[in-house]
Short mmCIF file of all heavy atoms in Angstrom, two decimals:
data_model
loop_
_atom_site.label_atom_id
_atom_site.label_comp_id
_atom_site.label_asym_id
_atom_site.label_seq_id
_atom_site.Cartn_x
_atom_site.Cartn_y
_atom_site.Cartn_z
N GLN G 25 52.91 66.75 -115.67
CA GLN G 25 52.70 65.70 -116.67
C GLN G 25 51.94 64.54 -116.02
O GLN G 25 52.21 64.21 -114.87
CB GLN G 25 54.07 65.19 -117.18
CG GLN G 25 54.86 66.28 -117.89
CD GLN G 25 56.18 65.76 -118.40
OE1 GLN G 25 56.25 64.95 -119.32
NE2 GLN G 25 57.29 66.22 -117.80
N PHE G 26 51.02 63.98 -116.77
CA PHE G 26 50.17 62.91 -116.22
C PHE G 26 50.41 61.59 -116.88
O PHE G 26 50.59 61.49 -118.11
CB PHE G 26 48.68 63.31 -116.40
CG PHE G 26 47.73 62.27 -115.89
CD1 PHE G 26 47.70 61.91 -114.53
CD2 PHE G 26 46.88 61.58 -116.77
CE1 PHE G 26 46.84 60.95 -114.04
CE2 PHE G 26 46.02 60.60 -116.29
CZ PHE G 26 45.97 60.30 -114.95
N GLU G 27 50.43 60.55 -116.06
CA GLU G 27 50.58 59.18 -116.53
C GLU G 27 49.39 58.35 -115.98
O GLU G 27 49.25 58.23 -114.74
CB GLU G 27 51.90 58.54 -116.06
CG GLU G 27 53.14 59.16 -116.68
CD GLU G 27 53.43 58.67 -118.08
OE1 GLU G 27 52.88 57.61 -118.46
OE2 GLU G 27 54.18 59.35 -118.77
N ARG G 28 48.58 57.81 -116.87
CA ARG G 28 47.47 56.96 -116.40
C ARG G 28 48.00 55.54 -116.35
O ARG G 28 48.12 54.86 -117.37
CB ARG G 28 46.26 57.04 -117.34
CG ARG G 28 45.11 56.26 -116.84
CD ARG G 28 43.82 56.55 -117.59
NE ARG G 28 42.68 55.83 -117.01
CZ ARG G 28 41.40 56.01 -117.37
NH1 ARG G 28 41.10 56.92 -118.28
NH2 ARG G 28 40.45 55.28 -116.79
N LEU G 29 48.30 55.09 -115.14
CA LEU G 29 48.93 53.79 -114.92
C LEU G 29 48.30 53.14 -113.68
O LEU G 29 47.83 53.83 -112.78
CB LEU G 29 50.43 53.90 -114.70
CG LEU G 29 51.29 54.42 -115.84
CD1 LEU G 29 52.72 54.57 -115.39
CD2 LEU G 29 51.22 53.49 -117.04
N ASP G 30 48.41 51.81 -113.66
CA ASP G 30 47.93 51.05 -112.50
C ASP G 30 49.18 50.66 -111.69
O ASP G 30 50.15 50.16 -112.19
CB ASP G 30 47.18 49.81 -112.96
CG ASP G 30 46.40 49.18 -111.80
OD1 ASP G 30 47.05 48.76 -110.81
OD2 ASP G 30 45.16 49.14 -111.87
N LEU G 31 49.11 50.88 -110.38
CA LEU G 31 50.24 50.56 -109.51
C LEU G 31 50.67 49.09 -109.60
O LEU G 31 51.83 48.76 -109.44
CB LEU G 31 49.87 50.82 -108.03
CG LEU G 31 49.77 52.27 -107.59
CD1 LEU G 31 49.31 52.31 -106.13
CD2 LEU G 31 51.14 52.97 -107.70
N ALA G 32 49.68 48.21 -109.83
CA ALA G 32 49.98 46.79 -109.85
C ALA G 32 50.67 46.36 -111.14
O ALA G 32 51.14 45.20 -111.23
CB ALA G 32 48.69 46.00 -109.65
N ASP G 33 50.79 47.22 -112.13
CA ASP G 33 51.45 46.91 -113.39
C ASP G 33 52.96 47.08 -113.22
O ASP G 33 53.48 48.19 -113.37
CB ASP G 33 50.90 47.79 -114.50
CG ASP G 33 51.42 47.44 -115.89
OD1 ASP G 33 52.48 46.79 -116.00
OD2 ASP G 33 50.69 47.76 -116.87
N ARG G 34 53.65 46.00 -112.93
CA ARG G 34 55.06 46.08 -112.57
C ARG G 34 55.91 46.70 -113.67
O ARG G 34 56.75 47.56 -113.39
CB ARG G 34 55.60 44.65 -112.24
CG ARG G 34 57.03 44.63 -111.76
CD ARG G 34 57.64 43.25 -111.78
NE ARG G 34 56.85 42.31 -111.04
CZ ARG G 34 57.17 41.01 -110.92
NH1 ARG G 34 58.27 40.57 -111.51
NH2 ARG G 34 56.42 40.16 -110.23
N GLU G 35 55.72 46.25 -114.88
CA GLU G 35 56.54 46.75 -116.02
C GLU G 35 56.27 48.23 -116.26
O GLU G 35 57.20 49.00 -116.54
CB GLU G 35 56.27 45.92 -117.26
CG GLU G 35 56.76 44.50 -117.16
CD GLU G 35 56.55 43.71 -118.45
OE1 GLU G 35 55.97 44.28 -119.42
OE2 GLU G 35 56.95 42.52 -118.50
N ALA G 36 55.03 48.63 -116.17
CA ALA G 36 54.67 50.03 -116.41
C ALA G 36 55.30 50.95 -115.36
O ALA G 36 55.81 52.05 -115.67
CB ALA G 36 53.16 50.22 -116.46
N ILE G 37 55.27 50.54 -114.09
CA ILE G 37 55.85 51.36 -113.02
C ILE G 37 57.40 51.40 -113.18
O ILE G 37 57.99 52.47 -113.02
CB ILE G 37 55.46 50.82 -111.63
CG1 ILE G 37 53.93 50.87 -111.44
CG2 ILE G 37 56.18 51.58 -110.54
CD1 ILE G 37 53.32 52.25 -111.54
N ALA G 38 57.99 50.28 -113.51
CA ALA G 38 59.43 50.26 -113.73
C ALA G 38 59.83 51.20 -114.85
O ALA G 38 60.79 51.95 -114.80
CB ALA G 38 59.90 48.84 -114.00
N SER G 39 59.01 51.18 -115.92
CA SER G 39 59.26 52.06 -117.09
C SER G 39 59.14 53.52 -116.71
O SER G 39 59.91 54.37 -117.15
CB SER G 39 58.31 51.72 -118.22
OG SER G 39 58.39 52.65 -119.26
N LEU G 40 58.16 53.83 -115.84
CA LEU G 40 57.93 55.22 -115.42
C LEU G 40 59.21 55.78 -114.78
O LEU G 40 59.60 56.93 -115.04
CB LEU G 40 56.78 55.25 -114.43
CG LEU G 40 56.44 56.60 -113.81
CD1 LEU G 40 55.71 57.48 -114.79
CD2 LEU G 40 55.58 56.42 -112.55
N PHE G 41 59.84 54.99 -113.94
CA PHE G 41 61.01 55.44 -113.23
C PHE G 41 62.24 55.60 -114.16
O PHE G 41 63.20 56.29 -113.84
CB PHE G 41 61.35 54.53 -112.06
CG PHE G 41 60.56 54.80 -110.81
CD1 PHE G 41 59.35 54.17 -110.59
CD2 PHE G 41 61.05 55.66 -109.87
CE1 PHE G 41 58.60 54.46 -109.44
CE2 PHE G 41 60.34 55.93 -108.68
CZ PHE G 41 59.10 55.31 -108.50
N THR G 42 62.21 54.94 -115.29
CA THR G 42 63.33 55.11 -116.24
C THR G 42 63.08 56.26 -117.21
O THR G 42 64.03 56.84 -117.76
CB THR G 42 63.54 53.79 -117.05
OG1 THR G 42 62.36 53.47 -117.80
CG2 THR G 42 63.91 52.65 -116.12
N ARG G 43 61.81 56.60 -117.42
CA ARG G 43 61.50 57.66 -118.36
C ARG G 43 61.54 59.07 -117.79
O ARG G 43 61.59 60.06 -118.52
CB ARG G 43 60.10 57.40 -118.98
CG ARG G 43 60.04 56.22 -119.88
CD ARG G 43 58.73 56.06 -120.61
NE ARG G 43 57.68 55.56 -119.71
CZ ARG G 43 56.63 56.27 -119.32
NH1 ARG G 43 56.47 57.53 -119.72
NH2 ARG G 43 55.72 55.74 -118.52
N TYR G 44 61.44 59.18 -116.46
CA TYR G 44 61.51 60.49 -115.82
C TYR G 44 62.61 60.55 -114.80
O TYR G 44 62.91 59.57 -114.10
CB TYR G 44 60.16 60.76 -115.09
CG TYR G 44 58.98 60.93 -115.98
CD1 TYR G 44 58.10 59.89 -116.25
CD2 TYR G 44 58.68 62.17 -116.54
CE1 TYR G 44 57.00 60.03 -117.06
CE2 TYR G 44 57.56 62.36 -117.38
CZ TYR G 44 56.73 61.26 -117.62
OH TYR G 44 55.63 61.44 -118.42
N PRO G 45 63.24 61.71 -114.63
CA PRO G 45 64.31 61.89 -113.63
C PRO G 45 63.71 62.15 -112.24
O PRO G 45 63.78 63.26 -111.70
CB PRO G 45 65.10 63.11 -114.14
CG PRO G 45 64.04 63.93 -114.87
CD PRO G 45 63.05 62.96 -115.46
N ILE G 46 63.13 61.11 -111.67
CA ILE G 46 62.36 61.26 -110.41
C ILE G 46 63.35 61.33 -109.25
O ILE G 46 64.08 60.36 -108.96
CB ILE G 46 61.37 60.10 -110.22
CG1 ILE G 46 60.32 60.20 -111.35
CG2 ILE G 46 60.71 60.17 -108.88
CD1 ILE G 46 59.44 58.94 -111.46
N ARG G 47 63.33 62.47 -108.53
CA ARG G 47 64.20 62.64 -107.34
C ARG G 47 63.53 62.26 -106.05
O ARG G 47 64.16 61.72 -105.15
CB ARG G 47 64.68 64.07 -107.30
CG ARG G 47 65.53 64.54 -108.42
CD ARG G 47 66.02 65.99 -108.20
NE ARG G 47 64.89 66.93 -108.09
CZ ARG G 47 64.49 67.51 -106.95
NH1 ARG G 47 65.11 67.24 -105.82
NH2 ARG G 47 63.48 68.36 -106.95
N ARG G 48 62.22 62.60 -105.95
CA ARG G 48 61.49 62.33 -104.73
C ARG G 48 60.12 61.80 -105.10
O ARG G 48 59.59 62.08 -106.18
CB ARG G 48 61.37 63.57 -103.88
CG ARG G 48 62.65 64.01 -103.21
CD ARG G 48 62.50 65.35 -102.47
NE ARG G 48 62.47 66.46 -103.42
CZ ARG G 48 62.14 67.71 -103.10
NH1 ARG G 48 61.78 68.00 -101.87
NH2 ARG G 48 62.16 68.65 -104.00
N VAL G 49 59.53 61.03 -104.20
CA VAL G 49 58.22 60.41 -104.46
C VAL G 49 57.28 60.68 -103.30
O VAL G 49 57.65 60.49 -102.13
CB VAL G 49 58.38 58.88 -104.66
CG1 VAL G 49 57.02 58.22 -104.85
CG2 VAL G 49 59.28 58.60 -105.87
N VAL G 50 56.06 61.11 -103.62
CA VAL G 50 54.97 61.19 -102.65
C VAL G 50 53.96 60.12 -103.09
O VAL G 50 53.25 60.30 -104.11
CB VAL G 50 54.32 62.56 -102.64
CG1 VAL G 50 53.22 62.60 -101.56
CG2 VAL G 50 55.36 63.65 -102.33
N HIS G 51 53.90 59.03 -102.36
CA HIS G 51 53.08 57.91 -102.73
C HIS G 51 51.74 57.94 -101.97
O HIS G 51 51.67 57.60 -100.80
CB HIS G 51 53.79 56.58 -102.47
CG HIS G 51 52.98 55.38 -102.79
ND1 HIS G 51 52.38 55.21 -104.06
CD2 HIS G 51 52.64 54.29 -102.06
CE1 HIS G 51 51.71 54.05 -104.04
NE2 HIS G 51 51.83 53.50 -102.84
N LEU G 52 50.70 58.40 -102.65
CA LEU G 52 49.38 58.58 -102.04
C LEU G 52 48.32 57.64 -102.67
O LEU G 52 47.20 57.55 -102.14
CB LEU G 52 48.92 60.05 -102.14
CG LEU G 52 49.87 61.02 -101.45
CD1 LEU G 52 49.51 62.47 -101.85
CD2 LEU G 52 49.86 60.86 -99.95
N ALA G 53 48.65 57.03 -103.80
CA ALA G 53 47.69 56.15 -104.46
C ALA G 53 47.50 54.88 -103.63
O ALA G 53 48.47 54.30 -103.10
CB ALA G 53 48.19 55.77 -105.85
N ALA G 54 46.28 54.50 -103.48
CA ALA G 54 45.93 53.27 -102.71
C ALA G 54 44.48 52.96 -102.92
O ALA G 54 43.70 53.86 -103.32
CB ALA G 54 46.22 53.45 -101.22
N GLN G 55 44.12 51.74 -102.60
CA GLN G 55 42.67 51.43 -102.52
C GLN G 55 42.24 51.85 -101.12
O GLN G 55 42.69 51.32 -100.13
CB GLN G 55 42.39 49.97 -102.74
CG GLN G 55 40.91 49.59 -102.62
CD GLN G 55 40.02 50.44 -103.57
OE1 GLN G 55 40.17 50.35 -104.78
NE2 GLN G 55 39.14 51.25 -103.00
N ALA G 56 41.41 52.89 -101.07
CA ALA G 56 41.00 53.46 -99.77
C ALA G 56 39.69 52.84 -99.30
O ALA G 56 39.05 52.08 -100.01
CB ALA G 56 40.83 54.94 -99.94
N GLY G 57 39.38 53.15 -98.05
CA GLY G 57 38.08 52.77 -97.48
C GLY G 57 38.10 51.51 -96.61
O GLY G 57 38.56 50.48 -97.08
N VAL G 58 37.64 51.65 -95.39
CA VAL G 58 37.59 50.51 -94.48
C VAL G 58 36.49 49.56 -94.87
O VAL G 58 36.67 48.36 -95.00
CB VAL G 58 37.41 50.97 -93.03
CG1 VAL G 58 37.05 49.81 -92.10
CG2 VAL G 58 38.68 51.70 -92.55
N ARG G 59 35.28 50.08 -95.11
CA ARG G 59 34.12 49.22 -95.35
C ARG G 59 34.20 48.46 -96.66
O ARG G 59 33.80 47.32 -96.78
CB ARG G 59 32.83 50.04 -95.28
CG ARG G 59 32.58 50.56 -93.87
CD ARG G 59 31.55 51.68 -93.82
NE ARG G 59 31.52 52.32 -92.50
CZ ARG G 59 31.00 53.49 -92.26
NH1 ARG G 59 30.39 54.18 -93.24
NH2 ARG G 59 31.03 54.01 -91.05
N TYR G 60 34.76 49.11 -97.68
CA TYR G 60 34.93 48.47 -98.98
C TYR G 60 35.85 47.25 -98.93
O TYR G 60 35.70 46.33 -99.67
CB TYR G 60 35.48 49.52 -99.99
CG TYR G 60 35.49 49.12 -101.43
CD1 TYR G 60 34.32 48.92 -102.13
CD2 TYR G 60 36.71 48.90 -102.11
CE1 TYR G 60 34.36 48.54 -103.48
CE2 TYR G 60 36.74 48.55 -103.45
CZ TYR G 60 35.56 48.35 -104.13
OH TYR G 60 35.59 48.03 -105.45
N SER G 61 36.77 47.28 -97.93
CA SER G 61 37.74 46.17 -97.81
C SER G 61 37.05 44.89 -97.33
O SER G 61 37.54 43.79 -97.50
CB SER G 61 38.86 46.55 -96.88
OG SER G 61 38.44 46.66 -95.55
N LEU G 62 35.84 45.03 -96.76
CA LEU G 62 35.11 43.84 -96.27
C LEU G 62 34.56 43.07 -97.45
O LEU G 62 34.34 41.84 -97.34
CB LEU G 62 33.97 44.28 -95.36
CG LEU G 62 34.35 45.06 -94.11
CD1 LEU G 62 33.10 45.45 -93.32
CD2 LEU G 62 35.32 44.30 -93.25
#
């Protein structure tokens, strides 16, 4: 199942954890890239 959400959306992430019986989490989403951070 797919959820199009932004990590920075506090209410949306909180809702996600209440809507699904999440037992474990693999957190790989991030803003990547060294040069882009400059």
Side-chain angles (χ1 to χ4, degrees):
Q25 298 180 68
F26 178 64
E27 294 279 342
R28 184 169 184 171
L29 296 175
D30 195 297
L31 287 175
D33 188 335
R34 185 194 305 180
E35 292 183 359
I37 298 300
S39 172
L40 177 75
F41 277 89
T42 61
R43 289 186 288 112
Y44 292 97
I46 295 168
R47 295 183 300 107
R48 288 174 286 169
V49 176
V50 182
H51 178 53
L52 301 169
Q55 179 55 63
V58 168
R59 293 165 192 163
Y60 189 68
S61 69
L62 302 178

